[in-house]
mmCIF file of all heavy atoms in Angstrom:
data_model
loop_
_atom_site.group_PDB
_atom_site.id
_atom_site.type_symbol
_atom_site.label_atom_id
_atom_site.label_comp_id
_atom_site.label_asym_id
_atom_site.label_seq_id
_atom_site.Cartn_x
_atom_site.Cartn_y
_atom_site.Cartn_z
ATOM 1 N N ILE A 246 15.130 -9.283 -1.361
ATOM 2 C CA ILE A 246 15.939 -9.449 -0.161
ATOM 3 C C ILE A 246 16.878 -8.254 -0.037
ATOM 4 O O ILE A 246 17.095 -7.524 -1.021
ATOM 5 C CB ILE A 246 16.772 -10.742 -0.148
ATOM 6 C CG1 ILE A 246 17.770 -10.750 -1.342
ATOM 7 C CG2 ILE A 246 15.898 -11.986 -0.193
ATOM 8 C CD1 ILE A 246 18.789 -11.855 -1.292
ATOM 9 N N THR A 247 17.403 -8.049 1.148
ATOM 10 C CA THR A 247 18.517 -7.131 1.331
ATOM 11 C C THR A 247 19.680 -7.888 1.970
ATOM 12 O O THR A 247 19.505 -8.867 2.706
ATOM 13 C CB THR A 247 18.130 -5.974 2.292
ATOM 14 O OG1 THR A 247 17.730 -6.480 3.541
ATOM 15 C CG2 THR A 247 17.008 -5.134 1.676
ATOM 16 N N ASP A 248 20.869 -7.420 1.663
ATOM 17 C CA ASP A 248 22.112 -7.955 2.273
ATOM 18 C C ASP A 248 23.112 -6.850 2.193
ATOM 19 O O ASP A 248 23.927 -6.743 1.269
ATOM 20 C CB ASP A 248 22.571 -9.203 1.532
ATOM 21 C CG ASP A 248 23.610 -9.990 2.286
ATOM 22 O OD1 ASP A 248 24.025 -9.504 3.362
ATOM 23 O OD2 ASP A 248 24.044 -11.065 1.803
ATOM 24 N N ASP A 249 23.086 -5.973 3.204
ATOM 25 C CA ASP A 249 23.760 -4.693 3.123
ATOM 26 C C ASP A 249 25.236 -4.791 3.541
ATOM 27 O O ASP A 249 25.602 -5.559 4.443
ATOM 28 C CB ASP A 249 23.079 -3.679 4.023
ATOM 29 C CG ASP A 249 21.600 -3.443 3.645
ATOM 30 O OD1 ASP A 249 21.231 -3.844 2.531
ATOM 31 O OD2 ASP A 249 20.885 -2.852 4.461
ATOM 32 N N ALA A 250 26.029 -3.943 2.905
ATOM 33 C CA ALA A 250 27.434 -3.775 3.299
ATOM 34 C C ALA A 250 27.997 -2.635 2.459
ATOM 35 O O ALA A 250 27.531 -2.349 1.361
ATOM 36 C CB ALA A 250 28.258 -5.043 3.009
ATOM 37 N N LEU A 251 29.015 -1.951 2.981
ATOM 38 C CA LEU A 251 29.746 -0.949 2.194
ATOM 39 C C LEU A 251 30.412 -1.713 1.027
ATOM 40 O O LEU A 251 30.798 -2.867 1.160
ATOM 41 C CB LEU A 251 30.781 -0.256 3.045
ATOM 42 C CG LEU A 251 30.215 0.601 4.208
ATOM 43 C CD1 LEU A 251 31.351 1.164 5.019
ATOM 44 C CD2 LEU A 251 29.345 1.721 3.637
ATOM 45 N N LEU A 252 30.537 -1.046 -0.083
ATOM 46 C CA LEU A 252 31.047 -1.707 -1.297
ATOM 47 C C LEU A 252 32.406 -2.345 -1.056
ATOM 48 O O LEU A 252 32.656 -3.470 -1.572
ATOM 49 C CB LEU A 252 31.120 -0.696 -2.438
ATOM 50 C CG LEU A 252 31.534 -1.307 -3.788
ATOM 51 C CD1 LEU A 252 30.502 -2.348 -4.243
ATOM 52 C CD2 LEU A 252 31.645 -0.189 -4.835
ATOM 53 N N LEU A 253 33.280 -1.704 -0.318
ATOM 54 C CA LEU A 253 34.586 -2.265 -0.102
ATOM 55 C C LEU A 253 34.551 -3.558 0.641
ATOM 56 O O LEU A 253 35.518 -4.377 0.595
ATOM 57 C CB LEU A 253 35.491 -1.269 0.629
ATOM 58 C CG LEU A 253 36.009 -0.090 -0.206
ATOM 59 C CD1 LEU A 253 36.769 0.884 0.670
ATOM 60 C CD2 LEU A 253 36.897 -0.577 -1.341
ATOM 61 N N ARG A 254 33.484 -3.823 1.345
ATOM 62 C CA ARG A 254 33.329 -5.037 2.106
ATOM 63 C C ARG A 254 32.321 -6.017 1.499
ATOM 64 O O ARG A 254 31.965 -7.033 2.102
ATOM 65 C CB ARG A 254 32.885 -4.727 3.547
ATOM 66 C CG ARG A 254 33.874 -3.838 4.290
ATOM 67 C CD ARG A 254 33.368 -3.432 5.639
ATOM 68 N NE ARG A 254 34.307 -2.588 6.338
ATOM 69 C CZ ARG A 254 34.029 -1.940 7.475
ATOM 70 N NH1 ARG A 254 32.845 -2.074 8.041
ATOM 71 N NH2 ARG A 254 34.943 -1.176 8.030
ATOM 72 N N MET A 255 31.838 -5.688 0.335
ATOM 73 C CA MET A 255 30.805 -6.504 -0.311
ATOM 74 C C MET A 255 31.427 -7.533 -1.275
ATOM 75 O O MET A 255 32.003 -7.206 -2.300
ATOM 76 C CB MET A 255 29.842 -5.617 -1.090
ATOM 77 C CG MET A 255 28.670 -6.374 -1.688
ATOM 78 S SD MET A 255 27.490 -5.272 -2.555
ATOM 79 C CE MET A 255 26.850 -4.337 -1.178
ATOM 80 N N GLY A 256 31.308 -8.791 -0.906
ATOM 81 C CA GLY A 256 31.827 -9.859 -1.738
ATOM 82 C C GLY A 256 30.918 -10.184 -2.915
ATOM 83 O O GLY A 256 29.791 -9.681 -3.021
ATOM 84 N N GLU A 257 31.439 -10.993 -3.787
ATOM 85 C CA GLU A 257 30.686 -11.381 -5.015
ATOM 86 C C GLU A 257 29.339 -12.006 -4.670
ATOM 87 O O GLU A 257 28.333 -11.755 -5.328
ATOM 88 C CB GLU A 257 31.528 -12.344 -5.834
ATOM 89 C CG GLU A 257 32.760 -11.730 -6.467
ATOM 90 C CD GLU A 257 32.467 -10.972 -7.732
ATOM 91 O OE1 GLU A 257 31.371 -11.159 -8.273
ATOM 92 O OE2 GLU A 257 33.352 -10.199 -8.182
ATOM 93 N N GLU A 258 29.345 -12.880 -3.682
ATOM 94 C CA GLU A 258 28.117 -13.593 -3.320
ATOM 95 C C GLU A 258 27.034 -12.650 -2.798
ATOM 96 O O GLU A 258 25.849 -12.772 -3.202
ATOM 97 C CB GLU A 258 28.377 -14.687 -2.298
ATOM 98 C CG GLU A 258 27.161 -15.544 -1.985
ATOM 99 C CD GLU A 258 27.493 -16.662 -0.995
ATOM 100 O OE1 GLU A 258 28.639 -16.768 -0.577
ATOM 101 O OE2 GLU A 258 26.574 -17.445 -0.664
ATOM 102 N N ARG A 259 27.404 -11.742 -1.975
ATOM 103 C CA ARG A 259 26.434 -10.795 -1.437
ATOM 104 C C ARG A 259 25.843 -9.925 -2.525
ATOM 105 O O ARG A 259 24.643 -9.630 -2.535
ATOM 106 C CB ARG A 259 27.131 -9.929 -0.362
ATOM 107 C CG ARG A 259 26.247 -8.913 0.283
ATOM 108 C CD ARG A 259 26.987 -8.262 1.449
ATOM 109 N NE ARG A 259 26.726 -8.981 2.690
ATOM 110 C CZ ARG A 259 27.368 -8.774 3.814
ATOM 111 N NH1 ARG A 259 28.355 -7.905 3.875
ATOM 112 N NH2 ARG A 259 27.057 -9.459 4.894
ATOM 113 N N TRP A 260 26.660 -9.498 -3.477
ATOM 114 C CA TRP A 260 26.202 -8.746 -4.597
ATOM 115 C C TRP A 260 25.249 -9.587 -5.477
ATOM 116 O O TRP A 260 24.133 -9.180 -5.809
ATOM 117 C CB TRP A 260 27.356 -8.235 -5.452
ATOM 118 C CG TRP A 260 26.949 -7.643 -6.757
ATOM 119 C CD1 TRP A 260 26.807 -8.284 -7.947
ATOM 120 C CD2 TRP A 260 26.639 -6.276 -7.014
ATOM 121 N NE1 TRP A 260 26.399 -7.418 -8.942
ATOM 122 C CE2 TRP A 260 26.294 -6.184 -8.385
ATOM 123 C CE3 TRP A 260 26.610 -5.132 -6.218
ATOM 124 C CZ2 TRP A 260 25.901 -4.966 -8.960
ATOM 125 C CZ3 TRP A 260 26.238 -3.919 -6.837
ATOM 126 C CH2 TRP A 260 25.894 -3.844 -8.201
ATOM 127 N N SER A 261 25.699 -10.774 -5.803
ATOM 128 C CA SER A 261 24.944 -11.616 -6.762
ATOM 129 C C SER A 261 23.618 -12.045 -6.191
ATOM 130 O O SER A 261 22.599 -12.091 -6.921
ATOM 131 C CB SER A 261 25.786 -12.855 -7.155
ATOM 132 O OG SER A 261 26.958 -12.469 -7.819
ATOM 133 N N ASN A 262 23.566 -12.397 -4.919
ATOM 134 C CA ASN A 262 22.298 -12.859 -4.319
ATOM 135 C C ASN A 262 21.224 -11.800 -4.407
ATOM 136 O O ASN A 262 20.064 -12.087 -4.691
ATOM 137 C CB ASN A 262 22.492 -13.244 -2.866
ATOM 138 C CG ASN A 262 23.275 -14.581 -2.734
ATOM 139 O OD1 ASN A 262 23.388 -15.317 -3.710
ATOM 140 N ND2 ASN A 262 23.797 -14.852 -1.556
ATOM 141 N N VAL A 263 21.579 -10.547 -4.116
ATOM 142 C CA VAL A 263 20.602 -9.460 -4.167
ATOM 143 C C VAL A 263 20.173 -9.152 -5.605
ATOM 144 O O VAL A 263 18.993 -8.971 -5.898
ATOM 145 C CB VAL A 263 21.146 -8.193 -3.466
ATOM 146 C CG1 VAL A 263 20.232 -7.008 -3.682
ATOM 147 C CG2 VAL A 263 21.285 -8.484 -1.957
ATOM 148 N N ILE A 264 21.126 -9.119 -6.526
ATOM 149 C CA ILE A 264 20.778 -8.847 -7.923
ATOM 150 C C ILE A 264 19.928 -9.997 -8.469
ATOM 151 O O ILE A 264 18.933 -9.755 -9.153
ATOM 152 C CB ILE A 264 22.049 -8.672 -8.772
ATOM 153 C CG1 ILE A 264 22.848 -7.441 -8.305
ATOM 154 C CG2 ILE A 264 21.702 -8.561 -10.262
ATOM 155 C CD1 ILE A 264 22.104 -6.090 -8.486
ATOM 156 N N ASP A 265 20.310 -11.218 -8.164
ATOM 157 C CA ASP A 265 19.565 -12.376 -8.687
ATOM 158 C C ASP A 265 18.121 -12.395 -8.176
ATOM 159 O O ASP A 265 17.181 -12.690 -8.943
ATOM 160 C CB ASP A 265 20.257 -13.679 -8.280
ATOM 161 C CG ASP A 265 21.519 -13.917 -9.057
ATOM 162 O OD1 ASP A 265 21.780 -13.197 -10.012
ATOM 163 O OD2 ASP A 265 22.303 -14.831 -8.657
ATOM 164 N N THR A 266 17.924 -12.073 -6.880
ATOM 165 C CA THR A 266 16.578 -12.151 -6.324
ATOM 166 C C THR A 266 15.737 -10.989 -6.705
ATOM 167 O O THR A 266 14.536 -11.113 -7.021
ATOM 168 C CB THR A 266 16.695 -12.249 -4.785
ATOM 169 O OG1 THR A 266 17.467 -13.394 -4.452
ATOM 170 C CG2 THR A 266 15.308 -12.382 -4.164
ATOM 171 N N ASN A 267 16.323 -9.773 -6.680
ATOM 172 C CA ASN A 267 15.516 -8.564 -6.853
ATOM 173 C C ASN A 267 15.389 -8.095 -8.293
ATOM 174 O O ASN A 267 14.452 -7.357 -8.618
ATOM 175 C CB ASN A 267 16.132 -7.399 -6.052
ATOM 176 C CG ASN A 267 16.099 -7.664 -4.560
ATOM 177 O OD1 ASN A 267 15.681 -8.701 -4.112
ATOM 178 N ND2 ASN A 267 16.490 -6.675 -3.794
ATOM 179 N N GLY A 304 25.635 1.755 1.808
ATOM 180 C CA GLY A 304 25.574 0.368 2.277
ATOM 181 C C GLY A 304 24.650 -0.504 1.503
ATOM 182 O O GLY A 304 24.548 -1.696 1.788
ATOM 183 N N GLN A 305 24.011 0.049 0.477
ATOM 184 C CA GLN A 305 23.043 -0.742 -0.309
ATOM 185 C C GLN A 305 23.287 -0.598 -1.810
ATOM 186 O O GLN A 305 22.364 -0.427 -2.584
ATOM 187 C CB GLN A 305 21.602 -0.312 0.013
ATOM 188 C CG GLN A 305 21.138 -0.740 1.382
ATOM 189 C CD GLN A 305 19.628 -0.563 1.540
ATOM 190 O OE1 GLN A 305 19.066 0.473 1.190
ATOM 191 N NE2 GLN A 305 18.981 -1.605 2.087
ATOM 192 N N THR A 306 24.538 -0.629 -2.239
ATOM 193 C CA THR A 306 24.803 -0.533 -3.665
ATOM 194 C C THR A 306 24.154 -1.653 -4.445
ATOM 195 O O THR A 306 23.672 -1.458 -5.553
ATOM 196 C CB THR A 306 26.311 -0.525 -3.930
ATOM 197 O OG1 THR A 306 26.936 -1.645 -3.303
ATOM 198 C CG2 THR A 306 26.948 0.752 -3.453
ATOM 199 N N ASN A 307 24.137 -2.846 -3.868
ATOM 200 C CA ASN A 307 23.515 -3.977 -4.560
ATOM 201 C C ASN A 307 21.994 -3.795 -4.666
ATOM 202 O O ASN A 307 21.396 -3.972 -5.725
ATOM 203 C CB ASN A 307 23.846 -5.295 -3.871
ATOM 204 C CG ASN A 307 23.635 -5.289 -2.348
ATOM 205 O OD1 ASN A 307 23.121 -4.320 -1.781
ATOM 206 N ND2 ASN A 307 24.011 -6.389 -1.693
ATOM 207 N N TYR A 308 21.346 -3.476 -3.540
ATOM 208 C CA TYR A 308 19.902 -3.312 -3.524
ATOM 209 C C TYR A 308 19.473 -2.111 -4.379
ATOM 210 O O TYR A 308 18.520 -2.170 -5.139
ATOM 211 C CB TYR A 308 19.458 -3.101 -2.049
ATOM 212 C CG TYR A 308 17.981 -3.069 -1.833
ATOM 213 C CD1 TYR A 308 17.214 -4.233 -1.887
ATOM 214 C CD2 TYR A 308 17.324 -1.855 -1.576
ATOM 215 C CE1 TYR A 308 15.831 -4.202 -1.625
ATOM 216 C CE2 TYR A 308 15.937 -1.809 -1.353
ATOM 217 C CZ TYR A 308 15.220 -2.977 -1.369
ATOM 218 O OH TYR A 308 13.854 -2.938 -1.167
ATOM 219 N N ALA A 311 19.742 -2.983 -8.060
ATOM 220 C CA ALA A 311 18.665 -3.861 -8.486
ATOM 221 C C ALA A 311 17.355 -3.117 -8.673
ATOM 222 O O ALA A 311 16.625 -3.303 -9.667
ATOM 223 C CB ALA A 311 18.480 -5.010 -7.489
#
Side-chain angles (χ1 to χ4, degrees):
I246 62 170
T247 58
D248 193 356
D249 301 345
L251 296 175
L252 184 62
L253 285 174
R254 300 174 181 172
M255 184 178 294
E257 292 278 345
E258 184 177 1
R259 180 172 270 169
W260 170 271
S261 297
N262 286 345
V263 171
I264 297 296
D265 288 349
T266 302
N267 295 6
Q305 289 192 314
T306 52
N307 49 5
Y308 187 76

